Amino acid sequence: QAEACETTEEKMYERMLNKQEQPQYNEMCMHCKECGELFAGLNTWLMETFATHQDITFPYGNHYGWGIAHRKRNKLMGNVFPE
């Protein structure tokens, strides 16, 4: 499946940078285009495997944009960004 997600370098790094509009989870999946299923699958796997809680966050400003924060007992385990 990874082959289906190969895109040009320009497209690979499109980020959701509009801080004024928090996206919904399904919008983040659609933003990933053909890799949306992989984005959703990774988030589901992290949640089920490590019992993380997911939050949509804008953690590092305009360098990264919106992403999914995975936390366990209020400790950040990592962020997944839709690109």
Side-chain angles (χ1 to χ4, degrees), residues 31-80:
H31 182 78
C32 295
K33 298 180 177 125
E34 65 270 3
C35 295
E37 286 184 35
L38 292 174
F39 176 79
L42 175 59
N43 283 296
T44 299
W45 180 80
L46 288 168
M47 184 178 65
E48 291 175 353
T49 303
F50 299 104
T52 62
H53 173 74
Q54 298 182 37
D55 290 310
I56 297 175
T57 61
F58 198 88
Y60 306 114
N62 284 336
H63 294 289
Y64 292 90
W66 290 101
I68 304 291
H70 286 268
R71 297 181 186 280
K72 186 169 184 174
R73 292 186 279 256
N74 293 326
K75 182 173 182 169
L76 180 64
M77 303 303 286
N79 292 300
V80 180

Side-chain angles (χ1 to χ4, degrees), residues 19-38:
K19 188 176 183 176
Q20 304 306 315
E21 293 183 33
Q22 180 176 342
Q24 297 295 316
Y25 183 78
N26 65 330
E27 293 173 315
M28 297 174 97
C29 292
M30 290 187 320
H31 182 78
C32 295
K33 298 180 177 125
E34 65 270 3
C35 295
E37 286 184 35
L38 292 174

